[in-house]
Amino acid sequence: MQSHTIKIWAWVHKWSSLICTLFMLLLCLTGLPLIFHHEIGHLLGTEVEAPAMPKDTPHASLDKVLELARAQHPDRIVQFVSKSDDTDDIWYVTMTHTPANTDDFRTVIVDARTTELLAPQLRFDEGFMWVMFRLHVDLFAGLPGKLFLGFMGLLLLVAIVSGVVLYAPFMRKLEFGTVRRERTARVKWLDLHNLLGIVTLVWLFVVGATGMINTWADLVIKYWQHDQLSSVLAPYQGQPTVALAERAPVQQSLDAAMQQVPGSKLSFIAFPGTSYSSPHHNTVFLRGDEPLTSKLLRPVLVDAKTSAVTAAPQIPWYLTALLVSQPLHFGDYGGRVMQIIWALLDIASIFVLGTGLYLWLKKGRAAAQPVDRKLAGKTTPQEATP
């Protein structure tokens, strides 16, 4: 590689790394507890478990569950109702003052079999894990914060690619994994930085890419609604949001959706007027029962008045990419083993980012000192620009 080309790649690697490093450190630090959010939730008491009952215990009508939830917060409306991936025996009812997205929500947890109230007012908008989540997702800045972090993720990908380009000629002179302990402290840290950078390369690229995609979620969903649902909703144009008194039992909507897509499981239901539905439908989001298909959602739009299925569109490729990237980002595919691997790689990435920042700070102090050329013969691009 020509010297001029190396200098260009070194400049790209230097500035893309420096600009994103502090934010990537923040994301790695906040992402570490989020990998174990279920386990930490159990410790903090924010994870609720259903009491043990025979597996064939029948479930009560969803309308009874909603009636109980509304009685706890009569001043609020039901925005979503959902089930977790782990069990079908618990309903999570999300209630707000308005159908629009808001941080002011309450979650009522109800036993799906007995309609027993398990948690009347569980809050997910406070506490340690909520702070970690908001810092990781949007820096408490909403959509602008998400897009900013997405741009930082893009710079991370640029830094990774440029680092690989610079690492290739560097390693022609050294064996893989070499740490030159007899050299200066800066050179030893540089070798460790390069070694762990290559070891974590694929993981950091995958996590950075999926994290960047996740920051586009709000925009992707809005585009999907405009692109895929506008023709479906054309017959309802001009009609007001269906009132609660005019709606058919929600259990009928759920049954109709399950019959439309046999062999699926419920993920959540979005009610009329909310961000994931239309003003006229209960939108039932179903998922598969296999490890991969369990992360993919199939929306079924059910008329809230008649309980008739209006549409069950296949999700487009860009929404599939979003749904796959979300669990992959946090290592939610492979159980506990995957979580541990993700955590170890996260810690290694913190080291890579921290040493990169250290090397840049040390470079200024060492600039006036003579360069040790005893073993290398000349300064490598990596010694000049970490």
Side-chain angles (χ1 to χ4, degrees):
M1 188 182 296
Q2 296 180 356
S3 176
H4 178 68
T5 305
I6 290 178
K7 288 181 179 179
I8 294 175
W9 280 110
W11 184 89
V12 171
H13 183 66
K14 172 184 176 181
W15 289 107
S16 60
S17 301
L18 286 177
I19 293 172
C20 74
T21 290
L22 287 178
F23 294 100
M24 289 301 108
L25 275 172
L26 173 66
L27 293 180
C28 286
L29 289 169
T30 56
L32 192 56
L34 292 176
I35 295 173
F36 302 100
H37 63 280
H38 285 304
E39 291 78 3
I40 295 175
H42 282 294
L43 292 175
L44 298 179
T46 56
E47 292 280 339
V48 177
E49 294 184 357
M53 287 186 179
K55 290 185 177 180
D56 57 350
T57 302
H59 287 187
S61 168
L62 176 55
D63 294 279
K64 291 185 177 180
V65 172
L66 297 178
E67 183 181 349
L68 177 63
R70 291 189 181 104
Q72 306 306 310
H73 301 283
D75 58 330
R76 294 174 179 264
I77 62 172
V78 177
Q79 197 176 45
F80 307 106
V81 60
S82 62
K83 288 187 174 181
S84 71
D85 295 345
D86 302 325
T87 177
D88 288 332
D89 295 333
I90 295 179
W91 284 110
Y92 297 83
V93 185
T94 302
M95 309 190 70
T96 60
H97 288 295
T98 170
N101 282 340
T102 174
D103 290 333
D104 181 19
F105 63 90
R106 300 290 182 272
T107 300
V108 179
I109 301 180
V110 182
D111 191 310
R113 302 153 301 179
T114 64
T115 66
E116 178 185 354
L117 194 63
L118 299 178
Q121 186 170 299
L122 190 62
R123 298 191 60 169
F124 295 99
D125 58 347
E126 60 184 13
F128 171 75
M129 292 303 293
W130 177 73
V131 173
M132 293 296 100
F133 178 77
R134 288 299 304 272
L135 285 173
H136 193 84
V137 170
D138 63 6
L139 300 175
F140 289 92
L143 181 59
K146 291 181 181 179
L147 297 179
F148 175 79
L149 290 178
F151 179 65
M152 293 299 105
L154 177 61
L155 290 180
L156 173 66
L157 301 184
V158 172
I160 291 173
V161 172
S162 58
V164 171
V165 172
L166 292 170
Y167 190 68
F170 175 64
M171 285 310 295
R172 293 196 188 107
K173 302 174 183 179
L174 295 171
E175 293 183 3
F176 179 78
T178 298
V179 177
R180 293 168 289 178
R181 302 179 186 278
E182 68 278 8
R183 299 289 296 274
T184 63
R186 183 176 184 277
V187 172
K188 286 186 289 187
W189 282 109
L190 174 63
D191 288 341
L192 288 171
H193 173 81
N194 289 336
L195 173 60
L196 282 179
I198 290 298
V199 169
T200 60
L201 172 69
V202 174
W203 179 84
L204 198 55
F205 192 90
V206 168
V207 170
T210 54
M212 182 178 65
I213 293 172
N214 290 341
T215 63
W216 303 337
D218 294 347
L219 300 180
V220 168
I221 291 170
K222 287 182 180 179
Y223 177 76
W224 169 70
Q225 291 173 328
H226 172 76
D227 179 48
Q228 300 283 319
L229 300 186
S230 55
S231 59
V232 174
L233 300 178
Y236 297 89
Q237 203 166 28
Q239 298 181 23
T241 301
V242 57
L244 181 61
E246 300 176 315
R247 300 177 192 176
V250 179
Q251 185 65 50
Q252 293 182 10
S253 292
L254 176 57
D255 293 340
M258 299 297 289
Q259 292 175 7
Q260 182 72 25
V261 188
S264 58
K265 294 184 177 182
L266 176 67
S267 180
F268 70 97
I269 302 174
F271 287 82
T274 58
S275 57
Y276 288 88
S277 188
S278 83
H280 321 286
H281 293 86
N282 294 318
T283 303
V284 182
F285 287 86
L286 303 175
R287 58 183 177 86
D289 56 2
E290 299 295 331
L292 179 60
T293 59
S294 65
K295 308 301 180 181
L296 301 178
L297 300 181
R298 175 81 178 273
V300 181
L301 280 76
V302 184
D303 190 296
K305 286 184 178 180
T306 66
S307 299
V309 174
T310 301
Q314 293 286 349
I315 60 174
W317 66 268
Y318 52 84
L319 203 54
T320 298
L322 174 65
L323 293 172
V324 171
S325 70
Q326 289 176 337
L328 184 58
H329 184 71
F330 290 107
D332 283 349
Y333 278 116
R336 184 63 54 81
V337 173
M338 187 80 149
Q339 287 178 305
I340 294 173
I341 294 173
W342 244 236
L344 292 174
L345 290 169
D346 187 289
I347 294 170
S349 298
I350 292 172
F351 180 85
V352 172
L353 293 166
T355 53
L357 188 60
Y358 164 80
L359 290 168
W360 178 73
L361 293 173
K362 289 288 287 184
K363 179 188 173 185
R365 298 176 186 175
Q369 298 177 3
V371 179
D372 182 2
R373 301 171 179 266
K374 187 174 181 181
L375 295 177
K378 61 180 181 179
T379 303
T380 67
Q382 283 71 24
E383 288 181 348
T385 307

